[in-house]
Amino acid sequence: MHDQNLEYHELFLPITMSYTCELQVVGADRPLQWRPVERLFVYPLDRYDGDIEDYQQRLPAESYLRYAQLPEEYLGRVRWELQSMDGERRFFHDLEVTSELRCPAEVTWQPLTYQQSELPWLVPLEALPGPSVDLAQPAREFFGRFRFLDANGEALMPMARAADLTDPALESFVFPEGQLKFHGEVRRIEQLQIDDSTARSQRWTYRFMSLEAY
């Protein structure tokens, strides 16, 4: 989390946490909400080592505008932002907000039976459990439940059919003949499984900067 006394409040959550966890406001003087914003994958996993200055680094605006061309190292995190309920306001002053992150106690990745296709960078949707595929669901939810790995066990970046996508649906990643396309050869697929749904939670209070200090 950022230091206190800024005009905005944001979190970068791993994409799996963005699917399995619940992030909500539990105390504030005005109605506020947490929303995923700006793109599906926005932060490189291997660059966050606990250093707050590194954590606060952001991709340049031009990278956000070309989502489909993001390099593979940006796979992994979703940016959440505290906003007004209508999504129009994201900067606040003289306000304290208490938030809570609730996650299941234990999750694991379970391998699916998968036979690599002749074009190994393509994965037909029929290779996935049927009830799990909803083309209208947010893509971040789908890729939070399934991961597509190369020969080294590294997660591969999915390709979108168009650039300039803002929190796209899964449909935007489905190519002709019902296939997903990846930046690399998919060797195996894993599905997220919740082993212990007992909720673990963390609360914190964030103080926005005063208007006088602005």
Side-chain angles (χ1 to χ4, degrees), residues 128 132-133 137-146 148 170 180:
L128 303 170
S132 302
V133 179
Q137 70 178 307
R140 58 183 165 77
E141 292 185 4
F142 176 82
F143 291 109
R145 291 187 294 125
F146 295 96
F148 302 81
L170 176 60
L180 301 173

Side-chain angles (χ1 to χ4, degrees), residues 34-154:
W34 282 99
R35 294 183 62 186
V37 294
E38 285 196 342
R39 290 301 176 260
L40 182 61
F41 311 113
V42 299
Y43 203 80
L45 287 173
D46 58 353
R47 286 183 55 197
Y48 177 56
D49 58 4
D51 182 84
I52 189 65
E53 292 183 359
D54 181 62
Y55 187 79
Q56 290 178 321
Q57 290 183 18
R58 303 267 296 278
L59 290 180
E62 57 268 22
S63 293
Y64 283 125
L65 294 176
R66 305 300 297 174
Y67 166 74
Q69 298 178 9
L70 287 181
E72 186 174 348
E73 62 264 25
Y74 289 100
L75 174 65
R77 291 187 181 268
V78 177
R79 190 171 80 86
W80 290 76
E81 185 177 77
L82 194 62
Q83 300 180 352
S84 58
M85 297 302 291
D86 60 9
E88 295 296 324
R89 188 174 178 184
R90 52 190 289 264
F91 296 101
F92 303 93
H93 301 93
D94 300 307
L95 181 65
E96 286 190 358
V97 179
T98 299
S99 300
E100 182 179 61
L101 180 65
R102 296 172 58 86
C103 299
E106 185 176 355
V107 298
T108 56
W109 288 99
Q110 298 297 320
L112 297 178
T113 301
Y114 175 65
Q115 183 175 357
Q116 191 178 48
S117 65
E118 293 182 0
L119 301 176
W121 56 90
L122 297 177
V123 174
L125 287 177
E126 61 188 29
L128 303 170
S132 302
V133 179
D134 177 4
L135 299 183
Q137 70 178 307
R140 58 183 165 77
E141 292 185 4
F142 176 82
F143 291 109
R145 291 187 294 125
F146 295 96
R147 61 183 184 183
F148 302 81
L149 309 177
D150 63 15
N152 297 318
E154 298 292 331

